[in-house]
Amino acid sequence: MARKSNRMSKKKPARAAAHSSSTNGTKTAAAKWVGQPIRRKEESRLVRGRGIFVDDEKMPGMLHIRFIRSSYAHAQISRVDVSKAEKFPGVVCTLTGAEIKKQVQPFIEIGPGGAQKIADYPMAVDKVVFQGEPVAAVVAETRLAAEDAGELVEVDYEPLPAVVSAEDALKDESLLHPAMGTNRNWHGVFEYGDVEKAFKQAAHVVHIGRLHFHRFSSTPLECNVIMANWDPRSGDIEYHCNNTFPSFASQFLAPALGVRIDQIHMKSFDIGGGFGIKITSYPYMAVCALASRKAGGRGVKWVETRIEHMQASAHGNERVFLDTRVALDQNGVILAIDSKHVDDCGGFPRYEPLGCVIWAQVLPATYRLKNIRIDMHQVVTNKCPVGPNRGYSRMQHLWFMERVIDICGQALGIPADAMRVRNYIRKNEMPYKTPNGCVYDSGDYASMLEAAKRLIGWDGWKKKQAAARSERRWVGLGIGSTLDSGTNNFGQARIINPDAPFSGQSKVGIVKLDIYGEVVVSMGSVPQGQGHETAAAQVVADALGITPDLVNVRPGFDTAHNAYTGHTGTYASQFAVTGLTAIHGAAMKLRKELSRLAAWKLEAKEKDLEFGIGAQGPEVRAKGTQKAINYWALANLVNVNNAGMPKSLWDITLNCRHVFHANFEIPDVQRKYGNLTLTYAAQIHAAVVEVDRETFQPKILAYACVDDCGKAVNPRIVEGQVHGASAHGIGAALLENCAYDSDGNLLTATFSDYTPITAMNMPELLYAHMESPSPFTLNGAKGMGEGGAAPVHTICAALQDALYPSGVIIDDSHNTGDSLFHALRKAESGGYAAMVRVEHRTASR
Amino acid sequence: MYAAPFSYHRAASLEEAVTLLRELGEEARVIAGGQSLIPLMKMRMARPGALVDIHLISGLNGIERSNGELRFGALARHAEIEDSRVASTIPILHDCAAGIADIQVRNQGTIGGSLAEADPSGDWGTALMALETSVICFGPGGERTVPLEAFIKDAYTTVLAHDELISGVHVKLPPKGSGGAHLAFKRTAPVYPTASASVELTLEDHHLCRDARIVLGCVGLTAIRAKEAEVALRGKTLDEKSIRTAVDAARAAADPQSDMRGSADYKRVLVGTLVKRAIGIAARRARGESVPAGHEYAGR
Ligand SMILES: Cc1cc2nc3c(=O)[nH]c(=O)nc-3n(C[C@H](O)[C@H](O)[C@H](O)COP(=O)(O)OP(=O)(O)OC[C@H]3O[C@@H](n4cnc5c(N)ncnc54)[C@H](O)[C@@H]3O)c2cc1C
């Protein structure tokens, strides 16, 4: 492997070359470590309790902040009185929304038009729009003093009618943000092909009533934690926090706080889970900085409690799908879909309305359908603002598409597997251009489905199902096909707002040889359990012909490492593509520098050199000779021993930085057309679920996951991600729901009510991996980890199959024994009769 | 999540605990495993001004068999009962102990604390009411023994005086031919059940029901003894018909409320099913079969 490397090092660094058909033509060194299921480097630290989390850190003289939060979902604030709290022993200062308003600009709004009039301040100023919204803060010497004093803050509210459903929001009877003039903060029609013509030609038209994708979240083990210090001398703000998209946060914070972006220093180390939900922690980051400034430049720490997290960090997007019409041909092939979707983003848009386009990355899901019209709306409601929760915006749409497939299949008497195979995009159509200009890079959905069926024993279960049905048992088999699109093109934001000043995608990797010859990698990524240190070490080990344990990867994000761009963060399933390509590029630059240095020192030609490990550690040697120079000596030449070095080598820094680019264009805003994302990992799951006839509880009898994320850089990490995403999805399908009452009170603000999934609820997961390498990426890898909520689709499909004969239509993504009990009652009284209507235009086969 | 200020006192004996409670007055509370009290204090829903810790009182954590009874010290932990050979002679006790919350809670929480808390959804109140259980209360005047059904007065309310504590729990060993089961449905491990049912049967000739106790949990302000349901079985042959009558009577006896665990309608249905299944398991156990049972979890 090392022997070939000099030839390969002359090649152009590998890059995402969109539309190239070769899968590994850009490979630069034979993969010895990439592709191996090695144990995670970070494990040892984490399982020994040596992880470093923000709450483990202290600043000298550090203070603690506590928020006072609205108990109302929608109310005018008539009075805030902090005077008693300020007198409490140990209290240093307080902050109120009205006070903050004078010091900051409202945060940037991404949405166009009226949405620009939303004034999103870090704390509520004169009205609150969701329960838990902060209205004041107390800063004290101890956490306990802050808690005690917080109880002395007096706030008077004049309640306003709460808007808790998307449909009610559209009525505009009670406005959250009166300046916007409506609750609808975004609207656009996504129309492709000839929808009306397809309906005219259809053999069957299926009309589907309201479908609802529920609100759930991610409940990372570690809630938001922020430590901030606004230094009165430099005017710089230092953050230690667990925000997972630090570049995005900085770009929101700098204009709001009136500092230059280079004055914001941000650091994270180990993070106890994120799943996207921590991206929108910037309002709290702003308050912590303002508190530090008011306290005279002392550090301020905020450790979010679970109730705060549940009420007022971020939830996933909720969406309703209305007035759906589906045109099908005689064989159940979908010709067209026409539907109205209303997304509910809670009290403030924040990252939204990006979700109003991000779903379009997977517009036709895994299907070949060409004609589609989605009338997309987004509304604000008196609920917790949403954030990009794992599977963000695509899972809602994919769930809708899977419901459409299953409901149409049931209505036309076509089995779920056949329905999918007839509609799936075929392997030989890859790379496949979707009606809206996205390019699915690779994949073989039909073979994945076959694999999932084999894994679970589909045919055997079919027989058992028939037997069970004859005993009046409710057993259902379900399939969920989903996509995990990764490496997004921020240019899609233009479809939301033509003035949005961002596009493309970038990530930074830095690989350096330190003074004593250590290989050190800095990445801009913000891992929260995805094993970035390990994967990065595997890539660098291959590039330099060494072993992963010789590669020191700096965990976490640090602006001081200068390894970031404005896109830097860990989100949208992409590190395997963006981060690793950047790191690979940097490693190859370093390799080139080492090669030039060694050629000079060893008096050899670069092409005669090889990289490897010698008696004195990693080295470069002249093939077929005794001549070799190790990394220490090479680093020494540049750093502390450079007299006599020829001028031609003075450009060598041994500190190599590389920026990932993808071949993205700015989409056509008028047509809402363009390539919105680079890779499409796929998951096909299958499940057998029985609904107990006496308890109505759904029980998972068997569960299989087939995953294809292209080349797996580390199959062990991939499998772990699939397990995690599956648990999250099963939890969402059966247990986890952010339920609000009609006054906008969150009913699930503790784990006793939200019931995040535990090991006791998990079925055994059968797992198989397939590899359809991406033609667009280095090594053929695709981003993964979000998982596309495959279990939500799969479990709904299985429940549908189990209960369809009883007249139930599964119209919600969240189902419990209780809800199924009521669904069956509703079915008994014919309650679903109007839900699905089938028009047969010609005789069905 | 920080408790309001309180003072902390550690009692070395029951007498000292009683004295401390009296001296510290109404705002003092006993703390045992802390698994009900501490979460409430952290949310500041409970604000005791003083805590009297009874952990170091010796002789309060044993589990022994004597005089035809199983005797639990008030500090016997759920996990200790789960693992106890002695306690496993009454299967219903193992069913109950092994399914309470998660392992952390079971390692800390105590049988005495559970009964004193009198949470309407607590498992011990339900399971122990299916047996002949007495609560030993220790106060300024010494010990008194109160039958469990008289001990729990209402939701979160017992007969304990302010300066009185539970020192032990005595359970009479059921007669030969008896078997019982405690079944509970839970959404996830660390939460209280949605509904639970405890059934203890004494059979003659494997089918004739000599005696029956049927208790419903989480569907009323206290555990509910479904006496009509018991009547439906007592003196009858256990068959589909008598069981159905008992189940219907149990459903009628339930008085559930809607909450995030489930709607009232649903809980009523669920508790009936749990009763039916518990009867089946109790009967098999009464016939000498060893049948695993306990808590069931959503999804599995
Ligand atoms: C996450 C979680 C889930 C749970 N799930 C379940 C469940 O599924 N089923 C279930 O049954 N329970 C459950 N519990 C409660 C658990 O069983 C507690 O252990 C029990 O309710 C209280 O026992 P304790 O020893 O912890 O009492 P503590 O919390 O210490 O005290 C509770 C109350 O009893 C009083 N007290 C304690 N000991 C005595 C005594 N000896 N004499 C007089 N008064 C006393 C205290 O003053 C206090 O008022 C759960 C608890 C948690 C935290």
Side-chain angles (χ1 to χ4, degrees):
Chain A
M1 153 201 121
R3 225 151 284 140
K4 284 196 210 144
S5 52
N6 58 331
R7 176 174 58 79
M8 293 185 160
S9 67
K10 284 191 184 154
K11 276 202 165 183
K12 273 200 303 205
R15 274 239 323 248
H19 310 283
S20 120
S21 59
S22 122
T23 57
N24 52 10
T26 49
K27 235 185 349 193
T28 46
K32 179 168 176 199
W33 294 104
V34 167
Q36 296 303 312
I38 63 168
R39 286 206 166 278
R40 296 197 310 166
K41 279 169 88 78
E42 41 279 79
E43 251 156 33
S44 165
R45 175 175 86 242
L46 293 170
V47 301
R48 284 167 211 262
R50 290 181 185 158
I52 301 178
F53 298 88
V54 189
D55 197 16
D56 299 327
E57 300 289 278
K58 287 189 178 65
M59 285 174 168
M62 188 177 77
L63 303 170
H64 300 262
I65 190 167
R66 177 218 157 148
F67 290 95
I68 286 77
R69 296 171 180 279
S70 171
S71 45
Y72 291 94
H74 198 191
Q76 214 64 45
I77 301 171
S78 48
R79 185 179 72 100
V80 180
D81 183 351
V82 290
S83 56
K84 290 195 189 105
E86 286 197 325
K87 292 190 197 101
F88 192 86
V91 169
V92 173
C93 63
T94 62
L95 285 172
T96 63
E99 180 184 351
I100 277 188
K101 187 184 175 195
K102 298 185 204 124
Q103 303 170 16
V104 302
Q105 293 297 315
F107 289 116
I108 299 168
E109 289 297 329
I110 295 173
Q116 289 291 322
K117 300 200 180 118
I118 296 173
D120 184 4
Y121 285 99
M123 292 204 287
V125 177
D126 42 28
K127 77 181 285 204
V128 290
V129 295
F130 63 97
Q131 186 183 47
E133 187 176 356
V135 292
V138 175
V139 184
E141 299 283 351
T142 63
R143 180 88 190 267
L144 186 55
E147 290 289 331
D148 288 344
E151 297 190 321
L152 304 175
V153 174
E154 292 169 13
V155 188
D156 293 341
Y157 299 95
E158 288 161 32
L160 297 165
V163 180
V164 288
S165 78
E167 285 112 317
D168 281 350
L170 281 176
K171 292 182 196 150
D172 281 343
E173 283 164 5
S174 173
L175 295 184
L176 272 77
H177 305 289
M180 184 161 67
T182 167
N183 290 323
R184 188 172 70 172
N185 62 309
W186 200 81
H187 175 232
V189 179
F190 293 74
E191 181 163 358
Y192 308 95
D194 191 338
V195 175
E196 288 318 316
K197 190 171 154 205
F199 274 96
K200 282 199 194 89
Q201 291 172 348
H204 314 280
V205 175
V206 179
H207 300 256
I208 305 172
R210 180 183 191 268
L211 298 168
H212 174 243
F213 190 93
H214 76 298
R215 239 176 200 250
F216 64 94
S217 189
S218 296
T219 60
L221 220 51
E222 181 199 33
C223 296
N224 286 303
V225 187
I226 296 162
M227 193 161 63
N229 187 27
W230 197 333
D231 190 327
R233 298 163 303 175
S234 60
D236 289 6
I237 305 172
E238 185 185 340
Y239 282 115
H240 291 234
C241 64
N242 55 13
N243 184 291
T244 55
F245 195 169
S247 290
F248 178 83
S250 306
Q251 290 171 78
F252 270 64
L253 285 165
L257 295 174
V259 296
R260 297 189 316 273
I261 214 156
D262 78 299
Q263 290 182 289
I264 298 180
H265 306 284
M266 224 186 283
K267 250 191 231 185
S268 65
F269 204 77
D270 288 314
I271 296 182
F275 314 99
I277 233 60
K278 289 174 175 164
I279 289 176
T280 45
S281 65
Y282 59 83
Y284 294 112
M285 294 173 76
V287 181
C288 291
L290 292 165
S292 170
R293 185 170 71 180
K294 190 166 178 190
R298 293 172 70 179
V300 169
K301 187 192 266 187
W302 176 57
V303 182
E304 186 182 45
T305 66
R306 184 60 64 182
I307 293 177
E308 288 181 294
H309 185 79
M310 297 308 293
Q311 281 190 337
S313 61
H315 295 163
N317 296 54
E318 184 175 354
R319 198 172 290 172
V320 288
F321 310 89
L322 307 169
D323 309 327
T324 302
R325 284 193 304 151
V326 188
L328 300 107
D329 77 4
Q330 276 177 325
N331 301 315
V333 172
I334 297 183
L335 304 174
I337 294 182
D338 179 16
S339 183
K340 173 177 171 180
H341 299 179
V342 190
D343 191 86
D344 167 358
C345 75
F348 291 102
R350 300 201 170 148
Y351 203 81
E352 296 300 326
L354 288 180
C356 292
V357 66
I358 283 175
W359 66 271
Q361 294 173 8
V362 294
L363 174 98
T366 46
Y367 306 111
R368 304 168 85 197
L369 123 105
K370 300 271 186 229
N371 309 298
I372 186 160
R373 175 166 58 217
I374 304 293
D375 182 13
M376 186 77 201
H377 306 251
Q378 188 174 64
V379 292
V380 289
T381 59
N382 293 118
K383 295 188 280 194
C384 179
V386 299
N389 187 32
R390 184 186 219 158
Y392 177 42
S393 189
R394 291 96 87 219
M395 67 177 163
Q396 288 82 352
H397 184 68
L398 290 157
W399 178 80
F400 163 75
M401 293 294 283
E402 289 297 276
R403 300 305 338 113
V404 164
I405 283 281
D406 281 317
I407 290 172
C408 292
Q410 296 277 16
L412 302 180
I414 302 169
D417 50 348
M419 193 64 194
R420 285 177 172 78
V421 172
R422 289 178 202 178
N423 280 285
Y424 275 153
I425 295 163
R426 317 268 193 266
K427 183 185 178 192
N428 61 16
E429 292 170 323
M430 296 288 181
Y432 178 84
K433 196 166 231 176
T434 67
N436 61 332
C438 292
V439 183
Y440 287 9
D441 50 348
S442 62
D444 183 355
Y445 310 137
S447 298
M448 287 176 77
L449 176 58
E450 273 313 305
K453 284 168 65 179
R454 257 197 318 278
L455 202 55
I456 204 164
W458 184 267
D459 296 336
W461 276 111
K462 274 278 179 201
K463 288 195 192 103
K464 285 185 217 165
Q465 179 188 35
R469 279 200 170 144
S470 66
E471 296 163 19
R472 298 184 62 241
R473 284 164 59 198
W474 289 316
V475 174
L477 281 69
I479 298 165
S481 322
T482 203
L483 295 169
D484 192 347
S485 51
T487 305
N488 58 320
N489 172 5
F490 271 97
Q492 63 203 281
R494 306 284 179 97
I495 292 174
I496 291 300
N497 182 349
D499 299 327
F502 35 89
S503 69
Q505 180 56 263
S506 61
K507 286 288 173 312
V508 180
I510 296 176
V511 182
K512 76 172 173 184
L513 205 60
D514 221 326
I515 297 174
Y516 280 169
E518 306 94 334
V519 178
V520 180
V521 179
S522 303
M523 353 175 247
S525 73
V526 189
Q528 317 125 43
Q530 296 93 337
H532 290 185
E533 288 166 54
T534 308
Q538 288 174 271
V539 165
V540 174
D542 278 348
L544 299 179
I546 58 178
T547 56
D549 57 322
L550 291 170
V551 181
N552 303 286
V553 185
R554 294 256 154 271
F557 176 88
D558 192 338
T559 37
H561 293 155
N562 201 21
Y564 63 93
T565 65
H567 296 131
T568 289
T570 292
Y571 55 90
S573 293
Q574 49 160 287
F575 177 75
V577 175
T578 59
L580 290 183
T581 304
I583 288 162
H584 178 264
M588 294 313 291
K589 282 180 182 166
L590 178 64
R591 183 184 171 105
K592 177 68 187 166
E593 291 192 351
L594 294 176
S595 170
R596 287 169 60 205
L597 270 179
W600 162 62
K601 201 62 193 172
L602 301 178
E603 298 176 332
K605 290 211 167 65
E606 274 190 65
K607 70 175 171 53
D608 296 328
L609 297 177
E610 62 183 5
F611 281 67
I613 300 175
Q616 292 181 322
E619 64 177 20
V620 184
R621 48 188 177 249
K623 261 182 280 180
T625 73
Q626 298 293 313
K627 291 192 292 185
I629 181 165
N630 71 11
Y631 281 13
W632 172 80
L634 287 165
N636 183 263
L637 284 175
V638 173
N639 288 298
V640 284
N641 196 10
N642 66 358
M645 183 190 284
K647 231 177 181 169
S648 61
L649 299 179
W650 286 14
D651 61 319
I652 290 178
T653 63
L654 299 185
N655 186 2
C656 301
R657 188 176 192 266
H658 187 78
V659 181
F660 166 87
H661 286 267
N663 210 355
F664 284 135
E665 304 286 336
I666 291 167
D668 176 336
V669 172
Q670 285 310 314
R671 290 164 60 216
K672 299 189 173 64
Y673 186 94
N675 195 4
L676 308 184
T677 201
L678 192 66
T679 65
Y680 287 84
Q683 283 83 29
I684 309 271
H685 289 197
V688 183
V689 178
E690 172 159 15
V691 179
D692 189 307
R693 272 204 93 96
E694 293 178 326
T695 66
F696 303 90
Q697 284 298 328
K699 277 190 205 306
I700 299 173
L701 304 181
Y703 200 96
C705 321
V706 177
D707 168 77
D708 183 351
C709 60
K711 171 79 185 163
V713 175
N714 184 322
R716 188 191 294 270
I717 293 176
V718 165
E719 187 172 350
Q721 292 289 312
V722 170
H723 274 248
S726 298
H728 193 182
I730 294 170
L734 299 176
L735 293 157
E736 305 176 24
N737 178 24
C738 300
Y740 282 88
D741 71 9
S742 57
D743 293 325
N745 296 308
L746 180 64
L747 303 173
T748 52
T750 70
F751 274 5
S752 296
D753 294 313
Y754 185 77
T755 56
I757 190 163
T758 66
M760 302 305 281
N761 307 98
M762 276 298 285
E764 189 174 338
L765 299 179
L766 305 166
Y767 170 80
H769 181 71
M770 290 180 57
E771 282 193 358
S772 308
S774 174
F776 305 155
T777 67
L778 176 75
N779 283 335
K782 302 183 186 189
M784 58 88 60
E786 289 187 83
V792 183
H793 320 328
T794 310
I795 290 171
C796 287
L799 290 172
Q800 177 72 82
D801 189 47
L803 300 181
Y804 191 78
S806 307
V808 172
I809 303 293
I810 298 296
D811 55 7
D812 202 293
S813 52
H814 184 65
N815 295 279
T816 65
D818 196 356
S819 68
L820 294 173
F821 164 71
H822 285 103
L824 279 150
R825 271 198 180 175
K826 177 172 163 183
E828 268 171 32
S829 57
Y832 290 100
M835 171 83 197
V836 177
R837 196 160 54 79
V838 188
E839 278 175 59
H840 299 290
R841 301 278 176 76
T842 58
S844 167
R845 268 203 292 182
Chain B
M1 297 300 261
Y2 280 64
F6 58 89
S7 62
Y8 173 83
H9 310 264
R10 193 183 273 164
S13 66
L14 283 168
E15 291 77 6
E16 193 185 350
V18 169
T19 310
L20 278 168
L21 285 171
R22 201 175 36 227
E23 282 170 3
L24 294 164
E26 287 292 326
E27 65 171 24
R29 292 274 286 274
V30 171
I31 182 158
Q35 297 306 299
S36 289
L37 190 51
I38 289 179
L40 289 172
M41 287 171 64
K42 279 164 70 179
M43 291 190 281
R44 300 198 170 194
M45 289 160 73
R47 295 166 169 265
L51 291 183
V52 176
D53 189 349
I54 59 172
H55 272 100
L56 293 190
I57 301 179
S58 60
L60 279 193
N61 44 14
I63 304 173
E64 54 181 48
R65 187 176 170 156
S66 102
N67 244 345
E69 286 182 334
L70 288 188
R71 296 186 166 180
F72 298 92
L75 291 180
R77 315 271 169 183
H78 311 322
E80 287 166 352
I81 301 173
E82 175 184 1
D83 295 339
S84 159
R85 289 268 292 282
V86 179
S88 70
T89 49
I90 308 181
I92 206 169
L93 297 176
H94 180 268
D95 294 349
C96 173
I100 292 175
D102 51 31
I103 191 79
Q104 289 93 332
V105 172
R106 291 200 292 277
N107 279 338
Q108 284 294 317
T110 66
I111 190 169
S114 279
L115 293 181
E117 179 69 15
D119 189 306
S121 304
D123 282 292
W124 280 125
T126 311
L128 292 172
M129 212 179 271
L131 301 162
E132 225 164 284
T133 304
S134 323
V135 183
I136 315 303
C137 308
F138 188 93
E143 242 180 44
R144 61 171 173 147
T145 301
V146 184
L148 179 60
E149 271 173 85
F151 178 82
I152 296 174
K153 293 208 307 200
D154 203 343
Y156 307 104
T157 314
T158 68
V159 299
L160 284 176
H162 169 68
D163 52 3
E164 200 177 18
L165 18 87
I166 300 178
S167 58
V169 178
H170 294 185
V171 180
K172 200 164 160 212
L173 285 168
K176 256 183 83 185
S178 296
H182 176 75
L183 295 186
F185 173 76
K186 298 173 57 150
R187 290 166 304 149
T188 61
V191 303
Y192 282 98
T194 307
S196 63
S198 279
V199 173
E200 180 76 20
L201 301 176
T202 309
L203 300 188
E204 200 178 293
D205 296 337
H206 285 201
H207 290 288
L208 181 66
C209 179
R210 272 270 137 259
D211 200 4
R213 282 213 191 197
I214 298 178
V215 189
L216 318 178
C218 318
V219 290
L221 294 179
T222 65
I224 295 172
R225 253 191 87 178
K227 297 207 168 141
E228 301 273 308
E230 295 173 0
V231 168
L233 297 185
R234 207 172 285 133
K236 309 265 166 43
T237 306
L238 277 191
D239 56 19
E240 214 178 295
K241 191 167 150 249
S242 60
I243 293 174
R244 195 171 334 114
T245 314
V247 168
D248 289 345
R251 284 199 173 122
D255 184 18
Q257 286 183 356
S258 294
D259 57 19
M260 281 315 296
R261 288 184 223 153
S263 62
D265 285 358
Y266 173 67
K267 287 183 187 175
R268 192 185 292 281
V269 168
L270 180 64
V271 81
T273 302
L274 293 174
V275 165
K276 177 177 156 189
R277 292 182 182 174
I279 293 173
I281 295 166
R284 287 169 64 195
R285 284 176 171 170
R287 293 173 201 132
E289 256 183 82
S290 145
V291 190
H295 292 62
E296 287 198 30
Y297 301 87
R300 250 202 355 204

